[in-house]
Amino acid sequence: FPTGNRNAASFRWFSFVANKTASLSASIFEAVSKGYCPISGSPIAGTNRARVRLGKVGGGSEIGTFYFCCDPCICDMIDLVRVDTKTLTFMGGWGAEHSSTVIVKD
């Protein structure tokens, strides 16, 4: 990270890993994605898990789990994040939809 600050950089972690999916299996992608908080970008052990219902971009809602670093990130996830879908192609040409998060300001 150019400034040396890994906080507030979850989009950088996701972009880095998502751009490597052609050389990753889906299970490796999932394991690596548990290694950073999707809100703060902080490296985590992937042991703190929360199940939340989030609004979807375009309407509706979806229930899912995410791994986080601290309790305030649960509140931020619920308050500031909406679900959108991105199709990723993994090693061997296998494609899958991955629910990714998009920060939106209402």
Side-chain angles (χ1 to χ4, degrees):
F1 301 104
T3 64
N5 182 359
R6 58 156 167 65
N7 289 319
S10 56
F11 71 96
R12 288 183 184 260
W13 287 114
F14 177 80
S15 295
F16 178 80
V17 176
N19 288 332
K20 306 264 185 231
T21 57
S23 62
L24 299 175
S25 67
S27 61
I28 295 293
F29 172 80
E30 205 170 294
V32 170
S33 294
K34 292 177 185 176
Y36 65 91
C37 177
I39 298 298
S40 70
S42 296
I44 58 173
T47 54
N48 292 333
R49 184 172 71 176
R51 186 167 178 84
V52 295
R53 177 184 298 271
L54 300 176
K56 294 174 73 172
V57 172
S61 65
E62 188 168 317
I63 296 173
T65 57
F66 78 103
Y67 295 84
F68 61 96
C69 62
C70 60
D71 290 346
C73 285
I74 298 172
C75 296
D76 287 348
M77 177 68 82
I78 293 167
D79 292 343
L80 302 172
V81 175
R82 302 295 173 261
V83 177
D84 198 3
T85 302
K86 178 174 179 65
T87 300
L88 302 173
T89 302
F90 295 100
M91 185 172 52
W94 184 77
E97 287 191 349
H98 172 74
S99 292
S100 57
T101 55
V102 177
I103 305 293
V104 294
K105 290 186 178 184
D106 293 329

